């Protein structure tokens, strides 16, 4: 066997074990009996320890060295690029630091949940300080003298820097705050109100999943506290949630997760259980979930069809026609919570976090000053004060569990979705006619063959550039948002 | 750290990984999307390969050698006994043989299922010959010059030999065939007939599981094609099945699996994720499932309560009173299929398989002669001819997947349950009064504190001897069966 064959056989088994760890995570959120948590913790630790040993296996270094003399095609070079990155990353972080981080962030999640439910920032500060110190230590190990935050970004979005993102956000912020202000000052459309049977929501949500091309023979839809997508290849499962008074939460969570899941399901099967057989980055992943959810799912054309489905499922839903339904789906509300934000305000929530986490990691912002910094920035961008920490600095689980550099990939996903949407609407001229019939085949088919099928073959920005035919940037997204919301709100 | 601490820490992680493999098996039968099978095959192979490497880790040999000079208590010695057995077993089988067996038996399962559905023995013979040759090769490696079949038994029931079992079966066979003949000649009680809503069956089955002490906070009940119990410690899940015309199948499958599951749930939590934290053998495991299902679940006292639950759930069930219900639950029917057999005939099915598999392994019976040998023996014990292979030699999955030495543990479980039942009825004088109220607490409590809590601490026969206060043997079971069925059938 060649070194390349040895290396990829090893990586394949590691990938299979990684899928198992993911499946355990799914089980934990959906099926696991509540008394099993302690045992599951040990099981997860055991498989993570196996995975860590495999990722740092010194034979990988030998194989990578030997491969330099082997002749590889594009696919082979991409596989080697992913494996090299993972191997170097795993070896940069000392094993005892990795173990301490795993233990501390696991405990921190509980401390944070408690602090959030009591709106008690002070109770979380000592733990948070420990998490931040450990993450900075890890960041320094990863950065090896370069920028710490950039090194963290590389875990989620290789090829992007803090400076790139700052430039992107600087372009977006004034336009979005201006659009937001104009909308808030305009007349608000009617909300969706009433009570909606939750089993009917689940029935409609499963139908929507299929409408967007989700393959139920390689997936399933369950309820969980948080919607998520899990797994790659032949077994990609999603969860959603229901609330009797808010069916949009269920339906649009499903469409969002279906976007993630279809990306994983539609990767070229030749890459199954290889490093190329997964979405290439968080940003590109989010571009798929967002374009399914927003540019397609919240379009006037598609919501006109969805309106008929809602009326069929629930009878009179208190909105006069498809146009009123379209406005209700896209209603922009004041609110503190990122996960409940609309297309216009979502990125304002993200850029607030981006600036603060970058300052935390550089040491420019002390953890003791974080709450005040959050509240000041929120008031500046949204025009009203944060009322309590659970609506402010304590709202997200990301920082407590050590995810720094993750938030900006949400906005990157929106920006990429904007670029892809421009290209998709040009490539599929009858798109709106199809969507108005509840037919997403042409749209999802274009995304499948221009993005999803490639898996990890191209670098994230290159992938979007290749698919959209443009250098990725926020202009298409901003133009789309201005167009769409100026129309809905008659600005 | 002492060698013992190193050894048991290593074993603990292996146990945790083993639990993960078990959970994947559960998922495959309950939740997995049908298109995921190929990927799941690779995932299972990956975790099995990790487990095999851990079980043969040469450090285990070093630790075991070093431990000889350490001072251990009873628990420590039992842990070391289990680990030694597993280590020696894993090292005796050459890796390439183990891999070939895994591959061949996996394929054989499909070939067998196809042959069974076509009633075509000839189509399965070449594969079956390959399986048997590989199993004999493995048996010879395990036996190291001793008896091959005994070496296979040690995988399921350490401390038992083929000769022991032959003696046990020789004592049982004449009594059981005589009892069976008398029953078949007697007047048959009325059957349960009608249609029983399957969702009501599931509701009642969950209630029954709780009635028998199954802890839902550490388990769950789902439907699957085959009923089974899966997992140890804090996460022990069971499955059952429903048939509209046969609610007994659902209810008694559940009680049976609850017996297995309670054994695993009730092991001393100090043994969690250690080699002692699992049922000690297949025979002792089956003793728990059988005593729950039969001596308790099919008793006159318990069925008098179950009758009221059935009437409450389904209305008129076509049986006049609790006594008619008791007779219907215990009705002895002619039939070819082991899994559908009653308490009297079940062991006749097992001893047929025991004699044939022992002869296959010794080489006294050629695979080409197996069908004829099966049919002759069946006619001799049951008094009528096998009508087709799917009702005869092709009915069970065990041999196709390489399980030789497994069948007799079913009867051993019955025999052990007979011993335990004698001791339990003496220790719990008001047992029937409790069971007639649907209260199994005293019975299951006795089994919990006299058997289940010990997990793997004692050797299987020692465990039964300690709990029952007698040398394990078939007499109590035979006396119980004669007593019970002479009464029901007025012999």
């Amino acid at each position: 066997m060649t070194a390349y064959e040895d290396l990829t056989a090893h990586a394949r088994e590691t990938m299979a074990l990684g899928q198992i760890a993911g499946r355990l995570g799914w089980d934990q959120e959906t099926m696991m009996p509540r008394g099993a948590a302690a045992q599951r913790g040990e099981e997860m630790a055991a498989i993570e320890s196996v995975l860590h040993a495999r990722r740092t296996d010194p034979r990988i270094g030998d194989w990578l060295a030997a491969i330099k003399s082997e002749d590889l095609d594009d696919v082979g070079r991409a596989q080697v690029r992913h494996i090299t990155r993972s191997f170097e990353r795993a070896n940069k972080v000392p094993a005892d630091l990795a173990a301490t981080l795993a233990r501390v962030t696991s405990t921190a999640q509980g401390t944070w949940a408690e602090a959030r439910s009591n709106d008690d920032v002070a109770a979380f500060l000592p733990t948070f300080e420990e998490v931040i110190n450990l993450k900075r230590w890890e960041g320094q190990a990863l950065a090896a003298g370069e920028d710490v935050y950039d090194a963290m970004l590389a875990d989620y979005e290789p090829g992007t820097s803090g400076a790139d993102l700052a430039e992107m956000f600087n372009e977006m912020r004034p336009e979005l705050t201006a659009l937001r202000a104009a909308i808030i000052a305009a007349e608000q459309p009617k909300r969706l109100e009433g009570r909606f049977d939750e089993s009917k929501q689940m029935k409609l949500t499963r139908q929507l999943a299929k409408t967007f091309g989700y393959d139920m023979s390689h997936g399933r839809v369950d309820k969980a506290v948080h919607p998520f997508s899990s797994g790659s290849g032949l077994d990609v499962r999603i969860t959603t949630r229901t609330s009797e008074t808010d069916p949009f939460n269920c339906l649009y969570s499903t469409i969002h997760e279906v976007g993630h899941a279809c990306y994983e399901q539609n990767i070229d099967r030749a890459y199954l259980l290889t490093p190329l057989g997964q979405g290439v980055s968080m940003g590109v992943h989010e571009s798929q979930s967002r374009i399914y959810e927003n540019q397609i799912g919240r379009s006037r054309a598609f919501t006109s069809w969805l309106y008929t489905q809602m009326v069929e499922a629930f009878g009179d839903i208190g909105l006069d026609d498809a146009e009123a339904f379209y406005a209700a789906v896209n209603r922009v509300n004041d609110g503190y919570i990122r996960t409940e934000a609309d297309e216009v305000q979502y990125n304002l929530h993200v850029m607030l976090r981006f600036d603060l986490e970058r300052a935390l990691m550089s040491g420019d912002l002390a953890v003791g000053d974080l709450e005040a910094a959050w509240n000041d920035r929120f008031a500046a961008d949204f025009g009203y004060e944060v009322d309590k920490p659970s609506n402010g600095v304590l709202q997200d689980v990301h920082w407590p569990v050590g995810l720094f550099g993750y938030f900006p990939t949400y906005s990157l996903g929106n920006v990429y979705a904007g670029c892809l949407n421009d290209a998709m609407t040009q490539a599929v001229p009858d798109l709106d006619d199809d969507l108005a019939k509840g037919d997403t085949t042409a749209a999802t088919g274009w995304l499948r063959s221009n993005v999803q099928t490639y898996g990890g073959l191209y670098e994230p920005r290159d992938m979007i550039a290749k698919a959209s035919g443009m250098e990725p940037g926020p202009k298409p997204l901003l133009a789309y948002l201005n167009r769409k919301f100026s129309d809905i709100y008659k600005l």
Side-chain angles (χ1 to χ4, degrees), chain A:
Chain A
M1 275 172 81
T2 64
Y4 177 75
E5 285 164 343
D6 282 329
L7 178 74
T8 49
H10 185 270
R12 191 174 182 94
E13 211 169 273
T14 308
M15 285 285 295
L17 293 165
Q19 288 298 307
I20 292 173
R23 189 65 58 234
L24 289 180
W26 169 85
D27 183 80
Q28 199 160 334
E29 302 296 326
T30 53
M31 300 293 161
M32 189 181 83
R34 63 188 157 74
Q39 179 167 331
R40 178 56 58 86
E42 283 206 49
E43 292 168 12
M44 285 300 288
I47 189 122
E48 288 301 338
S49 151
V50 168
L51 283 166
H52 184 261
R54 290 188 69 89
R55 288 185 186 123
T56 54
D57 189 328
R59 290 177 303 169
I60 298 174
D62 301 338
W63 289 322
L64 288 172
I67 279 171
K68 295 204 163 63
S69 64
E70 290 178 9
D71 200 25
L72 300 180
D73 60 9
D74 286 353
V75 169
R77 278 193 298 272
Q79 301 282 21
V80 169
R81 185 176 70 234
H82 284 280
I83 295 170
T84 304
R85 203 173 267 158
S86 153
F87 178 65
E88 289 177 350
R89 200 249 180 244
N91 278 297
K92 273 180 187 162
V93 181
D96 56 347
L97 171 57
T100 308
L101 248 174
R103 185 175 46 73
V104 169
T105 52
S106 167
T107 316
Q109 186 164 0
T111 316
W112 160 77
E114 176 91 15
R116 185 176 70 157
S117 69
N118 298 330
D119 274 310
D120 185 353
V121 175
F124 186 58
L125 277 188
T127 308
F128 197 28
E129 185 131 35
E130 195 180 358
V131 170
I132 286 174
N133 287 339
L134 287 166
K135 286 301 291 185
R136 291 182 69 197
W137 184 12
E138 183 196 51
Q140 283 153 8
L142 292 171
E146 304 292 318
D147 186 82
V148 167
Y149 189 72
D150 287 355
M152 293 178 159
L153 278 173
D155 276 356
Y156 312 110
E157 199 67 22
T160 296
S161 70
D164 293 339
L165 291 168
E167 190 186 326
M168 179 182 93
F169 284 133
N170 286 339
E171 189 176 343
M172 294 168 78
R173 192 174 171 206
E175 284 212 45
L176 290 176
T177 47
L179 178 58
R180 182 194 167 276
I183 290 171
I184 296 294
E187 192 188 342
Q188 283 292 324
K190 202 172 168 193
R191 290 174 198 275
L192 182 70
E193 282 173 320
R195 298 198 167 267
F196 300 85
D197 179 82
E198 291 175 66
S199 64
K200 285 183 185 168
Q201 290 185 38
M202 284 304 289
K203 196 176 160 208
L204 180 54
T205 227
R206 288 201 166 85
Q207 183 195 329
L208 272 181
K210 287 183 210 164
T211 295
F212 276 85
Y214 181 58
D215 177 356
M216 290 284 189
S217 75
H218 294 108
R220 50 180 293 140
V221 182
D222 295 281
K223 285 217 263 187
V225 175
H226 301 287
F228 63 90
S229 164
S230 159
S232 297
L234 304 183
D235 193 351
V236 190
R237 306 182 187 184
I238 66 166
T239 65
T240 188
R241 59 184 164 198
T242 57
S243 147
E244 202 187 6
T245 56
D246 186 6
F248 289 160
N249 194 322
C250 173
L251 303 180
Y252 283 97
S253 292
T254 298
I255 300 174
H256 181 98
E257 300 309 333
V258 161
H260 285 301
C262 285
Y263 187 6
E264 295 290 340
Q265 286 186 334
N266 290 337
I267 294 171
D268 190 333
R269 288 281 154 84
Y271 304 157
L272 186 71
L273 290 177
T274 76
L276 299 195
Q278 300 183 99
V280 71
S281 73
M282 294 294 147
V284 177
H285 237 301
E286 198 74 8
S287 77
Q288 301 306 295
S289 58
R290 297 288 170 152
I291 199 169
Y292 277 55
E293 179 188 353
N294 292 331
Q295 280 88 351
I296 302 173
R298 289 195 167 93
S299 66
R300 175 176 272 126
F302 185 78
T303 55
S304 73
W305 175 80
L306 183 57
Y307 174 69
T308 65
Q309 303 302 302
M310 289 284 290
V311 170
E312 195 174 296
F314 300 104
D316 179 9
I317 60 169
L319 294 169
D320 290 340
D321 54 23
E323 196 59 26
F325 183 78
Y326 174 55
V329 163
N330 287 289
R331 201 174 188 280
V332 175
N333 303 304
D334 274 349
Y336 302 104
I337 303 295
R338 174 186 57 84
T339 58
E340 297 168 1
D342 50 79
E343 287 183 80
V344 174
Q345 299 183 94
Y346 193 93
N347 297 302
L348 294 173
H349 287 277
V350 170
M351 55 189 79
L352 177 160
R353 289 156 179 75
F354 166 73
D355 284 333
L356 295 181
E357 70 177 14
R358 210 171 158 216
L360 284 170
M361 287 300 116
S362 70
D364 289 346
L365 177 63
V367 66
D369 299 328
L370 176 64
E371 185 183 13
W374 180 293
N375 292 346
D376 288 351
R377 170 67 176 264
F378 188 87
D381 279 1
F382 292 83
Y384 49 96
E385 302 286 332
V386 172
D387 61 345
K388 53 185 181 182
S390 55
N391 278 336
V393 70
L394 289 183
Q395 74 180 261
D396 293 309
V397 72
H398 300 59
W399 291 340
V401 300
L403 294 175
F404 291 86
Y406 192 107
F407 280 123
T409 66
Y410 292 129
S411 283
L412 214 43
N414 287 326
V415 163
Y416 290 166
C419 300
L420 293 172
N421 186 51
D422 269 17
M424 180 177 75
T425 47
Q426 283 188 15
V428 187
D430 299 331
L431 185 59
D432 280 349
D433 294 343
D434 291 346
L435 296 182
K437 289 178 246 162
D439 178 2
T440 75
T441 319
T444 56
W446 188 88
L447 290 164
R448 175 188 189 133
S449 54
N450 286 279
V451 178
Q452 298 170 1
T453 188
Y454 294 109
L457 185 61
Y458 302 109
E459 291 282 42
R461 277 185 77 84
D462 297 345
M463 176 74 265
I464 301 300
K466 178 180 152 64
S468 67
M470 67 181 83
E471 188 58 34
K475 285 199 173 58
L477 175 70
L478 294 169
Y480 154 83
L481 291 174
N482 276 311
R483 206 162 58 230
K484 175 173 179 176
F485 287 90
S486 297
D487 170 44
I488 295 174
Y489 279 89
K490 304 181 181 59
L491 305 180

